[in-house]
Amino acid sequence: MNSLSKFFWFCAGVHIDTLKKYPTEHNKYIGIGATIFFTGLFAALSGGYAMYFVFKGDPSAIIFAIFFGLLWGLAIFNMDRYIVASIDKNASTWKQIGQATPRILLAIMIGIVISRPLELKIFDKEIKERLKVSYINSQRSRIDTLNNSFLKKYTIELNKLQEAKTQRDSLSNGIKEDRQKLNFEIFGNKTTETSGIMGYGPYAKRKETELLQRTQDLDTLSADIRRMESFIANRKEFDGLLSERLYTGKQLDSLTSVAGFADRNWALGQLSFNPDGTRDVNTSLAVTFIGMLFIFFECLPVFVKLMSTRGPYDRSVENIETTQVYHSEKDKDYEMTVVDGIQDTRVTTEIEKRKEIIKGKAERDLEKFDWDS
């Protein structure tokens, strides 16, 4: 008998010395044991992968993942081994189902826990793309919130700045028109507002004086605008608007690579929906079926034991247990008989001892009475 077979028998929780007597039962329990072993192995991989994401970025992440994965896998393996071994194949079908029902319910919950980390790995690429969209939308929403808050906070200053800019634009346009009229007057271009006489006459001098004044007003207004713009820029920097930018491609890749378990789990749930909010049936079914596959795999050890027929090994175990129960009952009868016999002797001995004590006390009292007399 090779070591691998014995190992799978151990995983199945059988009594190896008894099973060796029945060769026809060997393969059945090798299959049951292998199912329990691989269920524990998948649990270890899933638990380790989940823990790796919990401590991702920490130098000890791999150590924590290995330790927790082994611990989780051994816990699931031990529980499967115990419950499968405890299903009594000599009981009725309904009693076996009753024994297995709590384990099946627990297996469904464990299957969900086991499948989730592996689903995260299977849909890793799609999850990263969904996280990028989420991060971009969050950053855009943050920038919009800051801008709206800034607009409300500095409404008066911003309105004054806008009015000054409007006034500057109007004044600048007026200066351009006046400069053109002055040129027409100097070069003798006839219009409704120019004389048409070439030369630098009184009208041209008056226009030049007005133009100079308006230019000075424009310079003063432009200086005020620059001062207000400088104030607004300082306020934006102080409130953090200038430091907020939409993420670049490299930044998004970096963020998705260090995304935690909660973010990735949320993104996996969002894969079942399209960007417009409608349900993505294909992806939803894929995620659901993968989860159901792992749930079924977790329940498989119990199903395998329930589906297996009652064989000579099960009958032999029943006979051994019946014999042991009978032997235990006889041991109980033996011990009770011995205790009863010992108890009778102890009672008789104690009675005689106390009689002697009473007799001795009576004799001493009588002697004392005679002496006093």
Side-chain angles (χ1 to χ4, degrees), residues 70-206:
L70 291 175
L71 185 64
W72 179 252
L74 288 173
I76 299 300
F77 168 79
N78 181 68
M79 184 183 63
D80 283 342
R81 181 176 180 271
Y82 166 73
I83 294 182
V84 169
S86 64
I87 296 177
D88 186 7
K89 293 301 298 180
N90 297 303
S92 64
T93 301
W94 287 110
K95 186 175 181 180
Q96 292 181 46
I97 294 174
Q99 292 173 340
T101 298
R103 171 65 184 95
I104 293 174
L105 296 176
L106 186 60
I108 293 174
M109 292 186 291
I110 294 175
I112 294 173
V113 174
I114 289 176
S115 65
R116 204 60 173 179
L118 297 180
E119 288 173 358
L120 293 176
K121 187 60 180 176
I122 293 172
F123 294 98
D124 183 66
K125 183 178 179 181
E126 291 79 6
I127 287 173
K128 287 183 177 180
E129 292 301 321
R130 187 55 61 94
L131 284 175
K132 288 180 181 180
V133 174
S134 174
Y135 291 152
I136 284 288
N137 291 337
S138 297
Q139 185 67 0
R140 184 179 289 112
S141 176
R142 175 178 172 80
I143 293 174
D144 291 342
T145 301
L146 288 174
N147 285 329
N148 292 333
S149 177
F150 185 84
L151 291 175
K152 291 180 181 179
K153 187 175 181 181
Y154 297 101
T155 302
I156 297 176
E157 290 81 356
L158 290 171
N159 288 338
K160 287 182 178 180
L161 177 60
Q162 186 61 39
E163 290 175 1
K165 286 183 177 180
T166 302
Q167 186 178 356
R168 181 194 60 185
D169 294 340
S170 177
L171 185 57
S172 178
N173 292 332
I175 290 173
K176 290 180 181 179
E177 291 177 0
D178 288 345
R179 184 172 286 112
Q180 186 178 25
K181 291 176 183 178
L182 177 61
N183 291 333
F184 285 167
E185 180 65 27
I186 294 173
F187 293 104
N189 294 332
K190 178 64 176 175
T191 65
T192 57
E193 296 183 5
T194 59
S195 63
I197 301 172
M198 182 179 297
Y200 192 69
Y203 181 79
K205 292 180 180 180
R206 188 173 66 253

Side-chain angles (χ1 to χ4, degrees), residues 254-277:
S254 177
L255 287 172
T256 54
S257 65
V258 297
F261 187 85
D263 286 347
R264 294 174 63 83
N265 186 57
W266 171 85
L268 178 60
Q270 293 299 309
L271 290 181
S272 299
F273 299 92
N274 293 312
D276 59 359

